[in-house]
């Protein structure tokens, strides 16, 4: 008994639908796809040094940068080694910099915070000298930077899991949180256990906070439970007699970035 070509096509399509379903994929293909996605999500994020991550994903918002747009580490070449020391592959635990004004180091602190969230590197505390400074930092630098950085959309941005905290002063991400506090409050400095710490404008902080010791040291004690912690201490020195960043940097490697004199070295390519 013969059947027409149209009937044969209908019969073939029915068999295909029965075998593969409406999606056009077999049960085995679906299982492979699900398992592939499952194990892919179990993989650790690609381990990329901070400077490479910044060059690839970090954008400066117009709210806080005159030269807004993609970050370029080579704009300030001395940033590159600083960024590497802040990366997980470096064994450095405390990184301090005594610097001049407006050299982009606090901006690295913002980028490092987003890098931590993207890589899931644990609870992080960012300190500012006053409550007003905390609010200004979050509103002018942190939140605009998150908004223009697509890489952190799933960890800090609009696609982050709804169960994670997302307030002005506490932003959760898978594997940790970013907490922004005033270093003028001993309670805010001693109430958290953290892995990463940013102390911004250290020399503006109190050397004796409510009789409990210096604000930087109170904050630094919070990393005691994390052997693989990172501490980033940033400041423009104020007074030599009361400065804590200057003596701290002098006890370290005290590295300097060479800027050769163009008059003495007309052939600067060798540098």
């Amino acid at each position: 008994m013969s059947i027409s070509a149209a009937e044969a096509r209908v019969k073939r399509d029915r068999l295909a639908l029965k075998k593969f379903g409406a999606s056009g994929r077999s049960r085995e293909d679906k299982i492979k796809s699900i398992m592939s996605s499952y194990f892919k999500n179990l993989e650790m994020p690609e381990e990329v040094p901070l400077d490479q991550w910044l060059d690839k994903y970090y954008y400066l918002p117009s709210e806080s940068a005159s030269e807004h747009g993609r970050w370029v580490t080579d704009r300030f070449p001395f940033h590159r080694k600083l960024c590497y020391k802040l990366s997980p592959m470096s064994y450095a635990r405390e990184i301090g910099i005594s610097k001049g004004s407006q050299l982009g180091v606090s901006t690295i602190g913002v980028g490092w915070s987003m890098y931590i969230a993207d890589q899931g590197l644990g609870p992080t505390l960012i300190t500012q000298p006053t409550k007003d400074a905390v609010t200004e930092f979050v509103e002018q630098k942190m939140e605009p930077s998150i908004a223009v950085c697509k890489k952190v959309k799933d960890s800090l941005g609009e696609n982050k899991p709804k169960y994670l905290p997302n307030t002005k002063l506490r932003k959760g991400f898978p594997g940790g949180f970013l907490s922004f506090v005033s270093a003028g409050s001993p309670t805010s400095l001693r109430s958290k256990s953290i892995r990463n710490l940013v102390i911004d404008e250290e020399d503006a902080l109190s050397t004796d906070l409510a009789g409990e010791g210096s604000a930087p040291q109170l904050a630094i004690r919070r990393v005691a439970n994390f052997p693989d912690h990172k501490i980033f201490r940033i400041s423009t020195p104020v007074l030599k007699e009361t400065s804590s960043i200057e003596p701290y940097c002098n006890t370290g490697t005290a590295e300097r970035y060479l800027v050769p004199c163009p008059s003495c070295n007309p052939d600067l390519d060798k540098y």
Side-chain angles (χ1 to χ4, degrees):
M1 177 179 175
S2 62
I3 59 175
S4 67
E7 291 174 327
R9 187 162 53 250
V10 170
K11 185 177 181 180
R12 185 184 66 233
D13 290 345
R14 285 177 177 172
L15 289 173
L17 184 62
K18 184 177 180 181
K19 181 178 180 181
F20 297 106
S23 65
R25 295 189 300 168
S26 68
R27 182 172 178 272
E28 290 76 14
D29 288 339
K30 292 178 182 178
I31 292 174
K32 287 180 182 178
S33 177
I34 292 171
M35 296 301 291
S36 175
S37 299
Y38 174 77
F39 285 110
K40 183 178 181 180
N41 288 326
L42 290 180
E43 295 176 358
M44 293 293 291
E46 180 185 3
E47 196 172 66
V48 181
L50 175 59
D51 58 321
Q52 294 181 23
W53 189 94
L54 294 177
D55 285 334
K56 190 173 182 179
Y57 302 116
Y58 189 28
Y59 285 79
L60 301 178
S62 58
E63 289 88 341
S64 61
S66 59
E67 296 182 13
H68 56 275
R70 185 185 289 274
W71 169 271
V72 180
T73 302
D74 286 336
R75 178 74 171 77
F76 291 101
F78 61 88
H79 284 170
R80 195 164 295 281
K81 187 170 185 180
L82 180 63
C83 288
Y84 179 78
K85 295 299 182 182
L86 290 168
S87 305
M89 56 283 301
S90 168
Y91 289 109
R93 292 290 165 252
E94 289 194 36
I95 302 92
I97 180 166
S98 176
K99 64 178 185 65
S101 299
Q102 301 299 314
L103 292 178
V105 180
S106 293
T107 306
I108 290 179
V110 176
W112 185 46
S113 301
M114 295 198 296
Y115 170 82
I116 287 169
D118 178 59
Q119 300 287 301
L121 297 178
T124 301
L125 185 68
I126 299 97
T127 72
Q128 294 292 324
T130 65
K131 290 182 179 179
D132 289 341
V134 173
T135 301
E136 183 178 346
F137 176 82
V138 173
E139 292 181 349
Q140 184 179 351
K141 293 185 176 181
M142 199 72 223
E143 290 182 338
S145 296
I146 292 171
V148 297
C149 183
K150 295 180 180 179
K151 190 67 169 67
V152 297
K153 185 181 292 186
D154 294 335
S155 54
L156 290 174
E158 57 190 29
N159 294 341
K160 66 182 289 183
K162 299 298 182 184
Y163 67 87
L164 293 171
N166 190 29
T167 64
K168 187 176 292 293
L169 301 183
R170 187 179 177 89
K171 301 185 183 300
F173 58 83
F177 58 80
L178 302 179
S179 183
F180 307 91
V181 302
S182 164
S185 168
T187 304
S188 63
L189 294 180
R190 65 168 180 252
S191 61
K192 297 175 178 64
S193 180
I194 56 170
R195 180 182 179 185
N196 309 293
L197 172 64
V198 180
I199 304 176
D200 202 0
E201 292 302 338
E202 179 173 325
D203 271 11
L205 306 186
S206 172
T207 56
D208 188 12
L209 194 60
E212 297 187 28
S214 72
Q217 291 305 315
L218 281 177
I220 288 170
R221 290 173 199 162
R222 301 306 99 211
V223 304
N225 290 335
F226 288 88
D228 56 349
H229 62 261
K230 293 276 187 182
I231 301 171
F232 191 24
R233 301 172 65 171
I234 310 165
S235 191
T236 300
V238 182
L239 297 175
K240 187 177 182 66
E241 293 77 12
T242 59
S243 175
S244 60
I245 193 66
E246 185 175 350
Y248 168 71
C249 288
N250 288 338
T251 60
T253 56
E255 297 178 34
R256 288 175 168 81
Y257 185 76
L258 173 65
V259 181
C261 173
S263 299
C264 302
N265 302 276
D267 185 13
L268 292 179
D269 290 343
K270 61 183 178 180
Y271 293 100

